[in-house]
Amino acid sequence: MVTFPNAKINLGLDVVEKRPDGYHNLETVFYPIPLQDILEITVTKEEDAPDYTFTMHNAVFEGDNGDNLVVKAYKILAADYRMPKVNMALYKNIPTGAGLGGGSADAAFALKMLNEIAALGLDNSKLEEYAARLGADCAFFINNKPAYATGIGNILSPTTCDLAGYCMVIVKPEIHISTKDAYSLVRPAFPQTPLVEITQKPVAEWKGLMKNDFEKSVFAKHPSMEKIKERLYSMGAVYASMSGSGSAFFGIFDKEIDIDCIKENFPGTFCWCSVL
């Protein structure tokens, strides 16, 4: 069985308060985009085979394979249900460390595939419970529809935000952003206008209303990243922002953009575009 885990962007991100447990509550809108990994899971009948095997292609996983979220998805189900022995292969197209949720998507799609392969009969509500245990934004990818997220990104509400027909451009420089750096200049505060209300306005009105609280810290440490956002606007984006804590940026265009044009403007970076 083969599936295609997709990325997401954060339409705005407000850090609203620090929690007693040290984490932060936030508000954001997760929006799925068709930048996809490839995940294949097959059942093996070999008696002497291990419970699972896992291989990754087109990327290097730093650490033990047992810590990969796809493997953790298998293990979390195997702790509660009798699971078949499987071989799992992941081909990465979504860049890592980008704020695009690639690892979370891989885990959520693995849960959905394994649920089907093992005929567990779990509904989306139960799958979301398992996904939330794997990561704050994993649950979003179970339904995989635009959602207003609060809490630490794990409390999801439907939203009618619709970017159909717009061209989405992703640019991801080779810069790693640490969580500590991203939070360094953030001062938690509730926004004057809830983000979910802003996303109901025309996209052309988002600039100046919508923001990503992490940009201030990231731009202070990496001035070249602010120039990526400025370049997206100079190319005609109606809205541009960093996604999550970075380091990827997205630009929303009301016309189709040629990928060669993007690569010319952002040499040496990961570039992708698609009409939504």
Side-chain angles (χ1 to χ4, degrees):
M1 182 180 290
V2 177
T3 192
F4 302 91
N6 59 270
K8 59 81 182 165
I9 56 170
N10 292 76
L11 295 175
L13 195 156
D14 298 312
V15 180
V16 298
E17 62 183 350
K18 189 168 184 178
R19 297 154 50 109
D21 61 7
Y23 290 93
H24 291 78
N25 284 330
L26 54 83
E27 69 159 11
T28 188
V29 170
F30 292 136
Y31 198 94
I33 60 173
L35 169 57
Q36 298 172 322
D37 289 339
I38 305 170
L39 176 62
E40 181 179 19
I41 303 180
T42 57
V43 176
T44 178
K45 301 294 186 181
E46 298 177 16
E47 292 185 3
D48 59 347
D51 290 343
Y52 66 86
T53 64
F54 174 76
T55 56
M56 180 185 287
H57 307 275
N58 203 37
V60 177
F61 181 70
E62 297 180 0
D64 185 270
N65 272 352
D67 293 327
N68 186 280
L69 285 173
V70 170
V71 175
K72 288 185 174 182
Y74 178 89
K75 289 180 176 179
I76 204 171
L77 291 178
D80 293 340
Y81 304 96
R82 183 178 178 85
M83 299 294 292
K85 296 180 178 182
V86 297
N87 297 319
M88 302 183 289
L90 177 64
Y91 188 95
K92 292 294 294 179
N93 291 312
I94 304 170
T96 58
L100 297 173
S104 296
D106 297 335
F109 275 68
L111 287 173
K112 291 189 282 188
M113 288 181 74
L114 292 166
N115 179 47
E116 185 174 349
I117 288 170
L120 301 180
L122 304 177
D123 61 17
N124 280 2
S125 177
K126 188 64 177 178
L127 287 171
E128 283 184 346
E129 290 181 20
Y130 280 111
R133 289 162 57 185
L134 295 172
D137 59 356
C138 283
F140 161 73
F141 292 100
I142 298 298
N143 284 303
N144 204 28
K145 296 178 180 179
Y148 176 58
T150 55
I152 58 173
N154 60 329
I155 303 173
L156 303 173
S157 304
T159 174
T160 57
C161 179
D162 186 3
L163 296 176
Y166 284 95
C167 183
M168 177 66 62
V169 170
I170 299 293
V171 178
K172 196 270 181 185
E174 290 298 320
I175 296 175
H176 172 73
I177 306 298
S178 73
T179 302
K180 181 179 179 181
D181 286 347
Y183 276 102
S184 64
L185 296 179
V186 172
R187 298 294 178 264
F190 285 87
Q192 291 184 344
T193 305
L195 188 56
V196 71
E197 292 184 18
I198 297 174
T199 58
Q200 300 308 304
K201 298 178 182 292
V203 179
E205 296 180 14
W206 288 2
K207 186 178 181 181
L209 294 176
M210 189 184 295
K211 68 184 190 309
N212 181 333
D213 279 345
F214 289 131
E215 286 187 349
K216 182 177 180 180
S217 301
V218 172
F219 292 171
K221 189 173 180 67
H222 303 282
S224 63
M225 293 185 65
E226 186 172 12
K227 295 185 183 302
I228 293 176
K229 181 176 179 178
E230 293 171 351
R231 176 62 62 86
L232 286 168
Y233 275 124
S234 70
M235 291 174 62
V238 291
Y239 183 72
S241 176
M242 189 172 73
S243 183
S245 58
S247 59
F249 287 80
F250 65 88
I252 303 172
F253 292 77
D254 57 9
K255 61 182 179 181
E256 191 168 354
I257 304 297
D258 183 76
I259 187 63
D260 291 332
C261 174
I262 303 169
K263 290 179 178 179
E264 289 175 4
N265 277 274
F266 303 99
T269 65
F270 172 90
C271 298
W272 173 91
C273 67
S274 176
V275 175
L276 300 180

